[in-house]
Amino acid sequence: AQSVTQLDSQVPVFEEAPVELRCNYSSSVSVYLFWYVQYPNQGLQLLLKYLSGSTLVKSINGFEAEFNKSQTSFHLRKPSVHISDTAEYFCAVISNTGNQFYFGTGTSLTVIP
Amino acid sequence: NAGVMQNPRHLVRRRGQEARLRCSPMKGHSHVYWYRQLPEEGLKFMVYLQKENIIDESGMPKERFSAEFPKEGPSILRIQQVVRGDSAAYFCASSPLDRGLEQYFGPGTRLTVT
């Protein structure tokens, strides 16, 4: 089985400041890695994913994450946050043979004006 | 192409009643997953269904919970004799593939048991 740890449950950050949301995973098999974002009262939306290839993946709204196999991490970063980035962020993994996602407990990002 | 639809969005039940949650997958998707999000926790897998088949129910509680995905109509997650601990957000996801890499999530149903 797999597990995901998001060390920070809440991250407040000022507008236009950089942010990093941490994600570590544990798995005995190869996995694919995802970040989902959940805005209030909405479902989860895929932010970005790592399947293979370049270990640095980017989203269309300025977020990026880097897969680090040796540290079993997939931290999410953004150099300059906006108010609209306020949301809950979930890191998730799925094995290369499985069907179910394993989610972290989420990080609540609050951007302060 | 409409996204994954879930209804109701909010459901209040008294202890002992039954809760029925519906999920309509995206058009063309024949694979449905149900997840539960308890307060202060991440989403946890419950069950994976294809049309008329339960493929993986390893995350379903052994009692009171059941799920179906009939040939016609939405997928249903049914909780009998609800208890306060069932209060949670229940999310459905659908996929066009027979593996879960591409799952699209619905807005969820928030169940409150009083």
Side-chain angles (χ1 to χ4, degrees):
Chain A
Q2 295 83 51
S3 68
V4 177
T5 301
Q6 291 182 247
L7 295 170
D8 307 300
S9 60
Q10 295 185 1
V11 174
V13 62
F14 286 104
E15 192 175 12
E16 298 184 3
V19 70
E20 178 181 82
L21 307 183
R22 295 180 291 170
C23 172
N24 289 88
Y25 70 93
S26 172
S27 177
S28 57
V29 299
S30 295
V31 294
Y32 303 112
L33 297 134
F34 299 74
W35 274 99
Y36 281 87
V37 58
Q38 183 181 28
Y39 297 103
N41 298 316
Q42 295 187 26
L44 277 72
Q45 300 174 29
L46 179 65
L47 189 59
L48 46 74
K49 61 185 176 184
Y50 171 77
L51 302 181
S52 64
S54 173
T55 56
L56 182 65
V57 291
K58 299 183 179 184
S59 72
I60 58 173
N61 58 351
F63 282 94
E64 63 179 36
E66 185 155 22
F67 169 53
N68 188 318
K69 189 174 182 180
S70 63
Q71 296 186 3
T72 60
S73 68
F74 192 53
H75 300 331
L76 181 69
R77 301 183 182 94
K78 188 170 185 179
S80 176
V81 295
H82 301 287
I83 297 291
S84 59
D85 293 325
T86 294
E88 190 87 14
Y89 291 80
F90 291 95
C91 181
V93 303
I94 186 169
S95 76
N96 58 0
T97 57
N99 288 296
Q100 57 171 287
F101 278 105
Y102 292 85
F103 284 88
T105 51
T107 297
S108 177
L109 173 64
T110 301
V111 180
I112 305 164
Chain B
N1 188 7
V4 178
M5 310 280 284
Q6 288 189 251
N7 67 81
R9 293 291 307 277
H10 300 275
L11 181 62
V12 179
R13 285 288 178 265
R14 291 184 178 151
R15 280 181 296 171
Q17 291 184 319
E18 179 181 288
R20 293 170 72 88
L21 288 63
R22 296 174 184 78
C23 169
S24 297
M26 290 180 69
K27 186 176 181 181
H29 290 192
S30 58
H31 306 265
V32 166
Y33 309 77
W34 285 94
Y35 293 82
R36 177 167 65 174
Q37 184 181 25
L38 294 169
E40 308 301 324
E41 295 187 16
L43 281 74
K44 286 188 166 45
F45 169 81
M46 299 180 75
V47 62
Y48 163 42
L49 310 104
Q50 294 178 16
K51 289 278 188 181
E52 300 184 283
N53 281 308
I54 297 175
I55 306 302
D56 181 354
E57 56 182 347
S58 58
M60 286 278 271
K62 298 297 182 204
E63 298 176 348
R64 302 187 297 108
F65 285 72
S66 62
E68 63 177 11
F69 189 17
K71 186 176 180 180
E72 301 291 337
S75 175
I76 305 287
L77 179 67
R78 182 181 177 206
I79 311 172
Q80 295 177 289
Q81 300 175 331
V82 296
V83 300
R84 288 227 172 101
D86 297 332
S87 294
Y90 292 83
F91 290 93
C92 165
S94 74
S95 170
L97 309 169
D98 60 359
R99 290 185 56 225
L101 287 185
E102 196 175 332
Q103 294 185 27
Y104 297 84
F105 284 81
T109 294
R110 280 162 177 77
L111 172 65
T112 301
V113 179
T114 61

